Amino acid sequence: MDIHSYARPAEARVTNVALDLRADFDRRRLVGTAALSVDRAPDARSIVLDTRDLIIHRVTDHAGHELAHRLGQVDAIIGCPLEIDLPAAAQQIAIDYETSPQAAALQWLSPEQTAGRRQPFLYSQGQAILTRTWIPTQDSPGVRQTYTARIIVPAPLRAVMSAESRTPAGREVPGGRAFEFRLDQPVPPYLFALAVGDLAFRELGPRTGVYAEPATVDAAAFEFADVEQMVTAAESLLGAYRWGRYDLLVLPPSFPFGGMENPLLTFATPTVLAGDRSLVSLVAHELAHSWSGNLVTNATWSDFWLNEGVTTYVEHRIMEELYGTEHADMLAVLARRDLLEEIDRLGGPQSRDTVLHVDLRGRDPDDGATRIPYDKGAALMTLLEHTVGRDRFDAFLKSYFDRFAFTSIETATFLDFLKTRLLSDSKEADSARLRLHEWVFEPGLPGNAMEPKSARLDRVAAAARSCLDDGARGPDTSTWTTQEWLHFLNTLPEHVSIADLGRLDEMFGFTTRGNSEVLFAWLRIALKHRYLAAMPALERFLTRQGRRKFLRPLFEDLMATDWGRPIAQRIYAQARPGYHAVVTSTLDPIVRGA
Ligand code: BES
Ligand code: ZN
């Protein structure tokens, strides 16, 4: 049961969505038709869809006869049911509709909000329950659907989707250019995705490439040069890549997430373009979702850890394969620190918000999108691997993706499969030793979690402890990677003076770093100690990119102090119009107290 959808798929379910939409940038609306194919029980009288802020003009059957329909009551979190009467045997319905300019899934950007500053941009973000704000369908991760689309856009722009492109160059049509798409593999609607803009393309490998604005595309092609190799590595670990192409799309800076695993076309933040390929674990992560998430999907948002935990584990394995264990070990140590910090933020190891299988009754699924499903989920996978051995665990993973390919499963199904396929014939792996139930249903990080170790980061930590000592020579940092710099900042002493921070800044130029992760870590330290020399850089960072992971902690830190509060409020008032809806709904309560 998916408590975040009105659909009753046992009675009637959507199996295909055929979109015919025009992107109206002046009115900030998508306008057109969604034709749905319906698989129905013989006695079903109606079908229920999910909507939110949609304007429904007309509903018809395959012969063009109007069908009676009603919109139900609006719920602030899950929106509004659309119930459509189904005459006997009807299997096709067409909905004429348009989206609202406030549709939460759609961000309409003015030219000034893009890298090129010449053309507008539009993109969608469906996860978790936002697709219903741009497509009237059954918006549940348990209801898989194929789709086709024709999207008409203003002539200079190009449309891309999470699907196979049928018209790469588009076709001239009255009033613009039409692009056609088709996805034959059934996926949950949160994976339907569209972007429209001034987009260039660079090939990366035989089945991989990157789209970005012309101003960004060369930097993107450099950053992502290893992507074809990542796909090959993932295939040898998990089985065949079943989607054809794997492309990336680099979005304008206001994209609220790091990445989004839209099928065939990962959406990515430009803040990953560090110039030295040091943040590409993000690509490994989104690519891994081509198996965990897109091929085998969480059936409800309480099972989100199945998507993100398995993916985060696979991400680490892909990184190990490409860049070696030393590098992967550093990533694992950094991830563990993030997890412990997150458990703290969520109220400590007793807090129910640190449970893997999370209770979302009455809550927005976004509330469950913490580091817990990612890093605690991955820690469970790592423990399983070490308990049964890598060979057996790898065979299990492959069989898992084969067995459940193109289905949506709940936590219980995963645990059953795990017990019968992996744990049943090994006494040492019995549930009591693994504490499987505790891992999935109890808060905190169980005591039998493996402890990640990195000799390289241990050396960095020692340097961080001593570099401020009287007369100390600075450490030799000439070979340090981004991960070492992050660990250095993470392990600086709690008590440092403004003068110390000034010295560090002078030695290492933190305030002027272009690497988003390093700058973020430094800005948090600067805020903690009121190191005012970093404030102009902070303001630039808060106004020039819109990634929630960076914005939330920085605004929280500012709001926590009397001196920071007015700064936060001033910057927020200025930057808010440029932020995505998922970001303003996170930040409004923090900065405006609403
Ligand atoms: N699927 C998520 C993004 C997401 C989660 C969007 C929940 C909406 C609701 C994506 O795979 C992801 O996890 N992105 C991370 C980056 C990744 C490298 C950990 C992010 O955006 O921070
Ligand atoms: Zn993910």
Side-chain angles (χ1 to χ4, degrees), residues 260-514:
M260 178 63 213
E261 66 272 26
N262 297 131
L264 289 85
L265 183 65
T266 283
F267 285 19
T269 168
T271 63
V272 71
L273 305 178
D276 60 4
R277 301 177 184 157
S278 63
L279 302 177
V280 293
S281 63
L282 184 143
V283 179
H285 178 97
E286 305 311 335
L287 171 65
H289 275 306
S290 304
W291 288 264
S292 40
N294 301 1
L295 190 59
V296 180
T297 308
N298 52 213
T300 79
W301 295 114
S302 287
D303 309 303
F304 183 57
W305 77 277
L306 287 182
N307 273 19
E308 297 300 345
V310 179
T311 292
T312 302
Y313 170 79
V314 173
E315 166 199 334
H316 294 165
R317 291 290 304 274
I318 293 172
M319 293 304 286
E320 180 185 323
E321 184 61 31
L322 262 80
Y323 306 106
T325 46
E326 215 184 37
H327 186 74
D329 290 346
M330 292 197 289
L331 295 175
V333 168
L334 292 172
R336 177 56 51 87
R337 181 186 179 273
D338 286 351
L339 174 58
L340 296 176
E341 189 184 78
E342 185 79 324
I343 290 174
D344 226 37
R345 185 181 76 87
L346 294 170
Q350 309 298 326
S351 161
R352 293 305 296 176
D353 287 343
T354 64
V355 173
L356 276 184
H357 184 268
V358 50
D359 182 357
L360 290 172
R361 274 173 298 185
R363 300 175 78 181
D364 191 312
D366 237 31
D367 293 354
T370 67
R371 292 308 308 171
I372 302 299
Y374 293 78
D375 296 325
K376 184 177 171 183
L380 171 55
M381 296 298 130
T382 302
L383 174 64
L384 288 167
E385 181 208 314
H386 283 266
T387 305
V388 303
R390 185 168 268 199
D391 289 348
R392 281 182 56 204
F393 190 67
D394 287 356
F396 164 78
L397 270 186
K398 271 199 174 124
S399 73
Y400 168 67
F401 292 118
D402 271 344
R403 167 66 184 82
F404 296 109
F406 298 112
T407 68
S408 302
I409 65 167
E410 297 193 3
T411 295
T413 307
F414 173 82
L415 293 179
D416 279 349
F417 190 73
L418 183 67
K419 285 176 195 153
T420 53
R421 283 303 180 87
L422 192 64
L423 306 180
S424 64
D425 57 340
S426 61
K427 279 184 229 72
E428 67 281 11
D430 68 82
S431 305
R433 209 190 91 149
L434 270 174
R435 298 151 73 172
L436 199 52
H437 189 273
E438 179 186 346
W439 270 92
V440 178
F441 298 104
E442 298 297 334
L445 183 66
N448 62 346
M450 314 283 304
E451 197 168 332
K453 288 224 178 321
S454 159
R456 258 170 77 175
L457 291 189
D458 287 345
R459 286 196 289 278
V460 168
R465 276 191 302 273
S466 64
C467 71
L468 292 169
D469 294 350
D470 276 343
R473 293 209 2 258
D476 175 10
T477 61
S478 57
T479 61
W480 280 15
T481 59
T482 290
Q483 286 66 37
E484 283 158 303
W485 285 113
L486 289 172
H487 197 64
F488 179 78
L489 291 170
N490 289 343
T491 49
L492 280 175
E494 274 285 306
H495 299 286
V496 287
S497 65
I498 302 284
D500 289 336
L501 292 176
R503 265 175 64 209
L504 289 171
D505 211 1
E506 204 170 298
M507 277 193 280
F508 304 123
F510 289 122
T511 299
T512 55
R513 291 280 175 121

Side-chain angles (χ1 to χ4, degrees), residues 67-250:
L67 297 179
H69 62 275
R70 325 162 258 293
L71 283 165
Q73 278 208 339
V74 178
D75 175 274
I77 296 172
I78 68 173
C80 178
L82 170 61
E83 182 170 13
I84 300 169
D85 288 345
L86 284 179
Q91 286 181 324
Q92 295 283 335
I93 52 182
I95 302 163
D96 292 341
Y97 74 103
E98 62 191 86
T99 59
S100 139
Q102 281 75 45
L106 302 178
Q107 195 179 16
W108 299 87
L109 299 173
S110 65
E112 300 71 47
Q113 290 173 287
T114 66
R117 309 186 134 261
R118 300 277 281 276
Q119 298 290 347
F121 202 102
L122 162 68
Y123 69 89
S124 71
Q125 162 61 38
Q127 199 177 13
I129 55 170
L130 302 180
T131 293
R132 64 195 66 183
T133 71
W134 74 285
I135 303 173
T137 189
Q138 292 179 320
D139 188 13
S140 165
V143 184
R144 309 182 77 91
Q145 300 150 42
T146 52
Y147 78 86
T148 63
R150 184 178 77 138
I151 309 290
I152 299 177
V153 305
L157 305 184
R158 184 202 302 237
V160 291
M161 291 191 85
S162 56
E164 186 194 331
S165 166
R166 317 276 293 171
T167 51
R171 262 185 311 104
E172 302 298 320
V173 296
R177 244 180 330 156
F179 293 83
E180 292 179 11
F181 305 91
R182 159 184 198 133
L183 184 68
D184 288 328
Q185 299 94 328
V187 299
Y190 76 82
L191 294 174
F192 295 2
L194 167 69
V196 179
D198 180 13
L199 292 174
F201 177 75
R202 294 278 185 278
E203 215 164 82
L204 296 170
R207 55 178 163 171
T208 48
V210 60
Y211 295 90
E213 288 190 67
T216 315
V217 75
D218 288 319
F222 174 84
E223 207 78 29
F224 300 143
D226 292 342
V227 166
E228 183 76 32
Q229 237 184 303
M230 282 188 178
V231 180
T232 309
E235 280 190 307
S236 72
L237 184 59
L238 306 173
Y241 179 76
R242 306 208 196 196
W243 309 87
R245 293 194 55 84
Y246 180 76
D247 293 319
L248 287 142
L249 168 67
V250 178

Side-chain angles (χ1 to χ4, degrees), residues 341-342 345-346 520 524 527-528 538 542 548-565 568 572 586-587 589-591:
E341 189 184 78
E342 185 79 324
R345 185 181 76 87
L346 294 170
F520 170 66
R524 289 205 74 183
L527 282 178
K528 191 158 132 199
L538 172 73
L542 293 175
R548 180 168 63 177
K549 164 184 156 174
F550 294 145
L551 297 179
R552 188 187 51 202
L554 292 171
F555 275 109
E556 273 172 352
D557 292 351
L558 279 171
M559 291 299 293
T561 67
D562 288 334
W563 65 269
R565 210 165 298 124
Y572 192 56
T586 300
L587 293 184
I590 294 169
V591 185

